Amino acid sequence: MILENGIIVAVEADGLWVETIQKSACEVCVAEKGCGQKFLSKLAGKTVSIRVLRNKKSSAEYSVGQSVTIGIPEDIIVMASLLVYLLPIFAAIGGAWLFSGSDLQAVGGALGGLLLGGLMVNLHSVKQRDDMRFNPVLIEEPVQPSILNFQQ
């Protein structure tokens, strides 16, 4: 599980919006000058807002400005990346192949397949919006046993 620290920027009934600082690998990457990541992060800012599902606590226990730790499962990141990138590409290739009568038909089929693939990704995202397995979750900080011993 990948852990990130962030600050709550909005509280909703079913989740929280957490702003995290983007950790870029530009300082250690070999392709530092050939990659557009550093340039894009300068243009867009260095913060990212993520919708996070609450565990068992109510919304009243969280407030804007509170610091929290969120967890994102690694396997979900891999599966989501494959879904977002590969499904529209395969749909575009399938559309081009299906309508391969002429060049214009193939281009139209590829664009239609690309749009269909994007729509399928969007529908999957809406369907999995509140599923704890597919979303970042709040990590509850465990109570340290040494503090309990001093209070007795």
Side-chain angles (χ1 to χ4, degrees):
M1 177 149 317
I2 298 173
L3 300 177
E4 282 286 329
N5 294 320
I7 297 173
I8 297 174
V9 293
V11 178
E12 294 179 346
D14 59 345
L16 308 168
W17 283 93
V18 177
E19 188 174 82
T20 62
I21 304 296
Q22 181 178 351
K23 294 180 181 175
S24 178
C26 293
E27 288 77 27
V28 295
C29 181
V30 176
E32 179 178 343
K33 300 206 189 296
C35 177
Q37 174 69 29
K38 194 170 196 175
F39 176 73
L40 289 175
S41 66
K42 284 182 182 178
L43 283 179
K46 300 243 184 214
T47 59
V48 177
S49 292
I50 300 173
R51 183 176 175 271
V52 179
L53 299 177
R54 293 179 289 109
N55 287 338
K56 296 176 183 170
K57 292 185 177 182
S58 69
S59 297
E61 296 184 37
Y62 298 103
S63 61
V64 174
Q66 181 179 356
S67 180
V68 293
T69 302
I70 61 173
I72 305 169
E74 293 100 348
D75 60 332
I76 297 303
I77 292 174
V78 171
M79 293 304 293
S81 298
L82 290 174
L83 178 75
V84 167
Y85 290 113
L86 293 183
L87 183 63
I89 289 173
F90 285 147
I93 292 171
W97 176 75
L98 192 61
F99 295 100
S100 60
S102 70
D103 288 344
L104 188 59
Q105 288 176 336
V107 169
L111 288 176
L114 184 66
L115 290 174
L116 180 66
L119 180 64
M120 289 171 35
V121 169
N122 188 27
L123 290 174
H124 178 73
S125 175
V126 168
K127 182 180 174 186
Q128 304 300 335
R129 176 178 167 87
D130 294 324
D131 192 345
M132 294 286 261
R133 296 174 297 155
F134 298 106
N135 286 289
V137 293
L138 286 174
I139 303 296
E140 302 297 329
E141 297 295 327
V143 178
Q144 297 177 358
S146 60
I147 295 174
L148 294 176
N149 293 336
F150 288 114
Q151 293 176 352
Q152 293 177 349

